[in-house]
Amino acid sequence: MNNSACRSALVFALALSVSLTTLARGYFNDPAPLTVPHPTSFAECRQFFPEGRPPVVPKRPALRELCYEAFAVLHSGETKTPVFVAQRLNRKSIEDADERRADKFFADARLPAAERAELEDYKRSGYSRGHMAPAGDMPTPTAMAQSFSLANMVPQNAQQNGGSWAKIEQDTRRYVLRAKGDVYVITGPVFEPDAPTIGEGRVCVPRYLFKLVYDATTGRSWAHWQENREGERVSAPITYKELVQRTGVEFLPGLGK
DNA sequence: CGGCGGGCAATG
DNA sequence: CATTGCCCGCCG
């Protein structure tokens, strides 16, 4: 099954900064502690981006900015997945990340129904609901609950998610524990033209996943790059420049090297 | 080997 | 719809 809408996710036009459409404030589907309205503009959660500057993403339809307590999502209504998910981590946030995992996935009601993944799309799809901002990073119960929004998920191979990808997440947490200050992490999917889809909602299945790590203290950055398939191993990170070339997104405007 | 972190599905 | 038990891979 293919979805031509997935195509545009990788066909980048000119890399122009665009002002993104924002939604009127809405609500999560879940009850408390998710009933508090959360901002739908990165202007209200700049803390997740180094020097407050979000990535520069080429214009495409149905992009929406979503702020959560512990991460920010740029969501695509075409792929019904994140374009990227941004976090700011440090030693304290990782030390606080001892919440009990609560597997309560939910469709994010701040997104229009036509733009969002539903639980049904993932069910019996053969793919896992793979967190971009990991549940294991979440420092509070509220943040933990919010991380189960499908706006923070992509259809991910179960073996890769629980294997090499989990190791990358663990390695990143371990790095942050020993870092001097804030570490910014940006995680996301990469789609090929004619990407397969799952469910009646046709949620696009990414071919690759990346995780960019930027240590603001040292100015160093690197990126993990994995295929979304069984049998992947953790290999040497790629450079920031290489990541930008592969994705067409300037994740660290003015900072990356 | 047990514990942990990534998940799933059956049960009531 | 919440609880519970289970599978899997990795690591110390």
Side-chain angles (χ1 to χ4, degrees):
Chain A
M1 197 186 321
N2 290 329
N3 184 347
S4 57
C6 304
R7 168 183 291 270
S8 56
L10 192 65
V11 177
F12 296 103
L14 297 174
L16 299 174
S17 178
V18 294
S19 80
L20 300 168
T21 310
T22 58
L23 274 172
R25 291 190 175 199
Y27 297 83
F28 293 94
N29 276 336
D30 261 18
L34 298 177
T35 48
V36 177
H38 271 60
T40 53
S41 165
F42 287 159
E44 300 180 58
C45 57
R46 297 185 195 280
Q47 69 268 26
F48 299 122
F49 305 101
E51 299 191 4
R53 295 203 293 270
V56 178
V57 177
K59 184 175 176 57
R60 23 183 148 141
L63 293 181
R64 301 194 189 269
E65 302 175 350
L66 301 171
C67 295
Y68 299 79
E69 186 175 291
F71 57 95
V73 173
L74 179 64
H75 187 270
S76 163
E78 293 188 316
T79 61
K80 298 186 174 179
T81 68
V83 175
F84 64 76
V85 178
Q87 300 169 266
R88 183 189 66 198
L89 303 175
N90 52 48
R91 185 149 76 91
K92 182 178 186 313
S93 75
I94 295 297
E95 286 173 345
D96 286 346
D98 54 1
E99 309 302 326
R100 196 180 135 180
R101 183 183 171 102
D103 285 70
K104 282 197 269 201
F105 296 87
F106 62 97
D108 204 307
R110 287 182 298 173
L111 297 168
E115 294 184 15
R116 72 188 182 217
E118 302 288 347
L119 297 172
E120 265 305 304
D121 294 324
Y122 281 84
K123 202 162 188 178
R124 295 179 301 276
S125 69
Y127 287 90
S128 291
R129 297 167 290 201
H131 282 70
M132 295 294 91
D137 287 358
M138 296 301 148
T140 69
T142 304
M144 169 65 81
Q146 292 179 356
S147 81
F148 283 83
S149 166
L150 293 187
N152 183 38
M153 307 285 162
V154 304
Q156 192 170 358
N157 175 274
Q159 284 74 32
Q160 185 237 3
N161 190 17
S164 57
W165 190 252
K167 187 175 186 317
I168 286 171
E169 293 174 341
Q170 190 69 29
D171 289 347
T172 303
R173 281 190 287 268
R174 261 197 330 206
Y175 176 83
V176 173
L177 268 179
R178 297 158 61 204
K180 306 284 187 201
D182 288 334
V183 178
Y184 295 86
V185 179
I186 299 180
T187 311
V190 177
F191 301 92
E192 289 195 322
D194 306 320
T197 67
I198 59 170
E200 289 197 8
R202 306 176 77 79
V203 180
C204 295
V205 179
R207 174 76 182 271
Y208 306 99
L209 298 177
F210 66 86
K211 184 179 286 291
L212 169 65
V213 183
Y214 170 72
D215 186 330
T217 305
T218 64
R220 287 184 182 151
S221 59
W222 60 92
H224 299 279
W225 180 270
Q226 292 240 306
E227 268 200 67
N228 183 21
R229 64 173 180 83
E230 187 173 1
E232 279 291 88
R233 303 293 179 86
V234 179
S235 50
I238 62 175
T239 64
Y240 172 71
K241 184 180 174 185
E242 178 66 24
L243 179 69
V244 172
Q245 286 175 352
R246 293 186 188 186
T247 61
V249 176
E250 194 183 342
F251 292 104
L252 305 170
L255 292 174
K257 22 176 187 181

